[in-house]
Amino acid sequence: MENNKYQLPLSNFNSNDSYLTMLKDNEDHDHLSDDDLIDNPYVISVNNNFIDTPNNTPNEISLNNYKINSLARITSVNSGSYIPSEDIRSMTPLSNQTSSGNTSRQVSNANLKKMMLMNAHNKTSNLSLSSLNKYKVHDPSLADKNSYADLMSLNTTIPNKTKFQLHLVTSRDEDDDEDDFYYSNNISKITPQLNNSTLMDHHSDTNSNFSMVSSLEQPSPLLKNNDFQKIKPNLGRKYKIKKHYKYIFILSGLPASGKSTLSQNMIQFMTQKYLRGEYSKSILNGDNLINHDSVPRESSTCRSPSSGGTLEVDRHDNNCINTKLKIEIFNAGKIRRSDSYTKTRQMYMMANNSNEDLFSPKNKSKKDVFAKLTLNSLFKNLTNSENDLDMAIFDATNSTRERRKFVVEEIYRQEQALLKNFQTMKNLLDEDDEDTVLEKLEIIPVFLQIMCTNRDFITYNIYNKSFNDDYFDKPFDFAIKDFSKRVIYYSQEYCPITHEEIDELMHHSMKGNKLFFINLENSKNSSYQTNINNEDLKQDVILNGLIDFAKSYNQLPESISYVNKVESFYTNKSIQSSDNVKVLKQFLNNEYFEKLNRNLRKTCKEFGIDVPSVK
Ligand SMILES: Nc1ncnc2c1ncn2[C@@H]1O[C@H](COP(=O)(O)OP(=O)(O)OP(=O)(O)O)[C@@H](O)[C@H]1O
Ligand SMILES: O=P(O)(O)OC[C@H]1O[C@](O)(CO)[C@@H](O)[C@@H]1O
């Protein structure tokens, strides 16, 4: 299988690809946008053999025969070059997302091509894409109406062991306005050319780069035919599955509440305490079987799955996390700074007047862009097996319900993409492949809310914030004025997380999957509230570590030293009489805190929740 020319579908990453929509009618101007073509990905030529014998013209191919009863669609080329729809979303602004997150219509072909190329350069795939062509598909039964499909030409040398997955798209006989093509797993429906093709080596799995797999996850409600069935799990296979749990901690809280500091403390606590071996024996003992049938996760973490699974499972070194817990923080502020600096040579969009201030609620969508970039980078790093990350921390204020819902929905979508990828890979495996270990990633999301309601602590924190990277080239009074205004801006919209909100997110955005939450106070004698219960703790080492951290925080040297520093900040006469502290008190006065409390009360009243008043 060397040096073959392929024509690949332009889009093999429609997240909802259980069936395809029929090519759009060219006369229908509502459907004329380039992006509609994304939904119509076909392979019409494989190995220079056209599956449905179109007439080939340099840049345009007409499929004269409307009775295309089989088209092949390549949906994956190994796992490395699987294109998750999240990548596409990352190229579209957050504000353009629909509530369902489907942004595929907003992606231009140029971006799509870029995605394909980026993906093709992925070192595991070794593939190179050459050109993007438009092909005309003529449908004589519809008079002079033409439809178009975009196809990508792919010049490639297929590396050893590369597997392609072909989905066969088969037309139905009934003619109605519904989608006309469906995936079929009925081999008799394959067009004879494809069936006879050497691509499909039906006798030898090992020699063929192509395996035919059709999944019909959401069959059309109109389908009654047995030809179109969900593929059954392949019971009795011998490959092994390695489950790998990845945690996403989503921080939430007002600016300067201590989110970054506390999460760093937590990382240190967990990485010191939870080294390999300390927990694996007691907690994961016996956790060496998973049932291949139970694909969707209910509320699982590093917990013992139901035993009695039919297959042997190799849990990677009998552990679900690395030698040393590997955690990375993805900070939206850092991404904003580096992005703004690259573009404007300024540290961030400056606040000459309040309308232009990035932190004003009016500029919410701009902040959302940075949050989205950060989240995408987080997903990319967390799911990249080379990074071997156990946990990613999404460090942003995530201070509104709207934002948190978005984050949770993105995580859910990411989970679904991972699951789909896993299922695709599973379907590609040879039945008796005992050596293969298939990795199954699952994401466990945890909200970590940090609250600081003590006026002295907030003042001290803001004082320290004036030395951060946003203000490295600004005088102290500018920094204090600017940051204190930032806190006021956020307080206009800030809505603390409640248990009710988490329940709501769990049921609607996570479709019943568990979502963990902990609220930690950042002050002297800090306390916490959580929805993590004893059952969860028994089965999950990371949640265990988190609760341990919350329980022991007051006794940790970091916390003691923080409280001491705040105390001496207020008792040390020379600090208190310094010019900087005079400026600080000038801005952070009674009036300021009254305003802060007023704002907090207003939003909390709107949502009918308890007000975290600052004293
Ligand atoms: N628990 C703590 N221990 C030590 N220092 C703290 C603690 N909480 C806050 N601080 C101090 O307050 C400053 C602000 O805290 P931090 O940067 O962690 O807040 P944040 O909520 O992440 O802020 P932002 O949202 O603006 O990034 C820190 O620079 C640190 O000096
Ligand atoms: O996107 P969000 O939730 O506003 O949070 C990100 C912002 O939070 C901050 O940490 C608040 O100070 C900024 O540095 C950053 O831009």
Side-chain angles (χ1 to χ4, degrees):
M1 279 293 186
E2 296 223 319
N3 297 320
N4 296 318
K5 269 208 163 187
Y6 292 91
Q7 307 218 285
L8 263 191
L10 180 62
S11 156
N12 60 358
F13 26 75
N14 182 355
S15 60
N16 191 14
D17 65 356
S18 51
Y19 58 85
L20 295 175
T21 50
M22 177 52 185
L23 295 174
K24 296 291 187 281
D25 174 4
N26 193 25
E27 304 268 290
D28 181 348
H29 295 285
D30 282 349
H31 293 300
L32 259 182
S33 87
D34 272 357
D35 298 328
D36 278 337
L37 300 170
I38 294 163
D39 287 341
N40 302 304
Y42 294 104
V43 178
I44 55 171
S45 140
V46 179
N47 222 2
N48 279 341
N49 294 319
F50 287 105
I51 295 167
D52 275 285
T53 54
N55 296 329
N56 195 352
T57 59
N59 235 352
E60 210 176 62
I61 292 172
S62 290
L63 290 179
N64 289 321
N65 175 11
Y66 178 57
K67 292 206 178 312
I68 314 166
N69 56 17
S70 294
L71 291 171
R73 180 178 189 233
I74 296 180
T75 57
S76 64
V77 188
N78 277 358
S79 58
S81 56
Y82 179 80
I83 303 173
S85 49
E86 278 66 23
D87 280 352
I88 296 173
R89 284 193 210 104
S90 74
M91 307 192 90
T92 58
L94 174 62
S95 49
N96 289 343
Q97 298 248 347
T98 62
S99 59
S100 68
N102 185 356
T103 58
S104 64
R105 299 203 177 279
Q106 293 149 19
V107 183
S108 69
N109 272 337
N111 268 351
L112 214 45
K113 189 179 175 189
K114 226 188 301 176
M115 295 306 309
M116 292 287 281
L117 289 170
M118 273 164 51
N119 206 55
H121 287 133
N122 175 323
K123 65 173 179 253
T124 49
S125 75
N126 235 356
L127 306 175
S128 77
L129 294 164
S130 59
S131 62
L132 173 69
N133 296 314
K134 263 201 169 88
Y135 294 87
K136 199 195 264 177
V137 179
H138 182 60
D139 173 3
S141 73
L142 295 170
D144 57 359
K145 292 179 183 172
N146 291 318
S147 300
Y148 290 87
D150 272 15
L151 300 170
M152 189 75 88
S153 300
L154 171 67
N155 296 311
T156 178
T157 304
I158 302 174
N160 278 348
K161 292 200 168 179
T162 297
K163 292 246 179 183
F164 291 85
Q165 185 179 21
L166 292 185
H167 281 269
L168 300 174
V169 185
T170 308
S171 64
R172 290 183 296 123
D173 290 338
E174 305 101 286
D175 204 7
D176 52 38
D177 288 342
E178 294 293 320
D179 307 306
D180 285 277
F181 289 111
Y182 292 88
Y183 287 153
S184 163
N185 58 357
N186 184 343
I187 206 143
S188 68
K189 296 260 177 183
I190 307 167
T191 192
Q193 290 96 317
L194 182 60
N195 207 5
N196 296 332
S197 157
T198 51
L199 293 169
M200 294 293 159
D201 187 342
H202 301 294
H203 308 293
S204 160
D205 275 355
T206 43
N207 292 337
S208 172
N209 287 82
F210 291 84
S211 78
M212 266 181 329
V213 184
S214 292
S215 62
L216 197 67
E217 288 167 15
Q218 296 166 10
S220 156
L222 298 169
L223 279 177
K224 292 178 195 85
N225 196 327
N226 284 341
D227 290 345
F228 301 97
Q229 277 174 350
K230 215 169 192 161
I231 285 197
K232 291 215 172 74
N234 284 296
L235 296 173
R237 281 186 168 169
K238 289 185 179 156
Y239 56 81
K240 293 158 187 162
I241 291 181
K242 172 179 91 185
K243 267 205 173 194
H244 203 144
Y245 296 92
K246 304 267 182 177
Y247 293 74
I248 298 182
F249 275 43
I250 309 138
L251 302 186
S252 179
L254 283 173
S257 55
K259 297 181 295 297
S260 306
T261 314
L262 274 170
S263 54
Q264 273 152 10
N265 292 165
M266 180 199 71
I267 292 177
Q268 206 179 341
F269 178 88
M270 282 201 189
T271 49
Q272 277 172 3
K273 189 157 181 167
Y274 291 89
L275 301 180
R276 169 179 285 188
E278 275 189 28
Y279 52 86
S280 62
K281 284 184 213 102
S282 57
I283 295 175
L284 298 175
N285 204 10
D287 186 6
N288 61 353
L289 276 175
I290 63 167
N291 188 340
H292 282 214
D293 296 339
S294 57
V295 177
R297 175 169 68 81
E298 271 154 31
S299 63
S300 61
T301 48
C302 286
R303 48 198 60 197
S304 297
S306 56
S307 56
T310 48
L311 300 165
E312 186 194 342
V313 173
D314 179 12
R315 185 187 281 286
H316 178 52
D317 292 329
N318 204 21
N319 208 334
C320 72
I321 54 180
N322 297 305
T323 314
K324 188 161 182 177
L325 206 54
K326 211 170 156 196
I327 307 176
E328 200 171 321
I329 300 180
F330 296 84
N331 181 301
K334 271 195 189 145
I335 299 242
R336 164 178 58 80
R337 279 188 285 271
S338 63
D339 186 84
S340 305
Y341 190 72
T342 320
K343 286 182 187 147
T344 64
R345 298 279 146 204
Q346 293 206 358
M347 279 317 282
Y348 76 122
M349 294 176 216
M350 250 340 146
N352 293 325
N353 71 55
S354 60
N355 286 345
E356 284 171 20
D357 194 315
L358 173 69
F359 299 100
S360 156
K362 288 180 184 146
N363 287 323
K364 199 155 88 180
S365 59
K366 288 184 185 152
K367 280 190 298 162
D368 284 347
V369 171
F370 297 119
K372 181 141 184 50
L373 285 171
T374 313
L375 202 54
N376 282 325
S377 156
L378 180 152
F379 286 144
K380 208 165 262 172
N381 281 281
L382 190 69
T383 54
N384 180 343
S385 57
E386 280 175 26
N387 287 354
D388 222 13
L389 273 186
D390 298 298
M391 187 197 293
I393 297 184
F394 178 40
D395 188 353
T397 70
N398 297 312
S399 46
T400 64
R401 284 195 171 175
E402 190 190 357
R403 163 68 74 77
R404 294 191 287 265
K405 184 167 186 282
F406 168 76
V407 173
V408 169
E409 284 174 355
E410 283 295 298
I411 292 176
Y412 182 75
R413 255 192 297 282
Q414 187 70 28
E415 274 218 301
Q416 295 307 300
L418 288 172
L419 186 61
K420 195 164 215 168
N421 210 4
F422 169 80
Q423 282 167 337
T424 302
M425 292 307 293
K426 206 170 75 158
N427 286 335
L428 289 174
L429 284 177
D430 294 331
E431 295 236 330
D432 292 327
D433 200 345
E434 289 186 53
D435 296 331
T436 305
V437 178
L438 196 56
E439 183 160 271
K440 187 165 189 228
L441 295 186
E442 285 185 11
I443 297 176
I444 318 283
V446 182
F447 272 105
L448 174 52
Q449 174 165 269
I450 306 295
M451 274 210 184
C452 184
T453 51
N454 180 303
R455 179 176 163 164
D456 286 348
F457 280 72
I458 295 174
T459 306
Y460 172 82
N461 292 357
I462 293 180
Y463 175 86
N464 280 347
K465 274 293 189 185
S466 66
F467 303 105
N468 97 341
D469 287 346
D470 277 337
Y471 308 110
F472 85 103
D473 58 346
K474 298 284 178 293
F476 179 81
D477 52 351
F478 176 94
I480 290 296
K481 185 177 171 203
D482 191 75
F483 200 91
S484 45
K485 192 163 79 182
R486 186 187 300 187
V487 176
I488 290 290
Y489 276 143
Y490 273 92
S491 70
Q492 290 169 4
E493 298 218 294
Y494 174 55
C495 175
I497 306 175
T498 60
H499 286 277
E500 290 72 31
E501 182 192 346
I502 293 293
D503 285 346
E504 170 92 13
L505 288 171
M506 208 145 82
H507 289 118
H508 294 109
S509 307
M510 289 293 289
K511 316 271 186 287
N513 286 346
K514 189 103 194 219
L515 186 58
F516 297 104
F517 159 64
I518 183 163
N519 178 43
L520 192 56
E521 227 172 288
N522 180 27
S523 198
K524 201 175 175 179
N525 305 324
S526 95
S527 60
Y528 73 93
Q529 296 91 41
T530 184
N531 71 345
I532 301 170
N533 61 34
N534 285 341
E535 218 30 55
D536 300 321
L537 290 179
K538 268 189 221 154
Q539 302 170 57
D540 190 307
V541 285
I542 301 287
L543 296 181
N544 238 291
L546 175 63
I547 297 294
D548 245 9
F549 170 73
K551 274 185 184 158
S552 45
Y553 182 66
N554 285 320
Q555 284 85 51
L556 293 183
E558 292 84 358
S559 163
I560 294 167
S561 131
Y562 172 53
V563 172
N564 288 342
K565 275 186 197 154
V566 177
E567 271 171 16
S568 62
F569 180 78
Y570 290 100
T571 50
N572 185 312
K573 283 197 177 114
S574 68
I575 295 178
Q576 285 299 304
S577 58
S578 70
D579 286 347
N580 280 356
V581 170
K582 278 182 196 149
V583 171
L584 187 71
K585 286 180 175 167
Q586 189 194 323
F587 286 109
L588 299 178
N589 51 22
N590 286 342
E591 209 186 312
Y592 178 88
F593 283 101
E594 274 161 23
K595 190 171 180 185
L596 186 65
N597 275 329
R598 257 200 319 276
N599 288 345
L600 293 175
R601 269 200 302 274
K602 194 164 169 263
T603 332
C604 291
K605 202 174 162 198
E606 250 172 59
F607 288 99
I609 60 178
D610 291 345
V611 188
S613 91
V614 176
K615 288 174 199 125

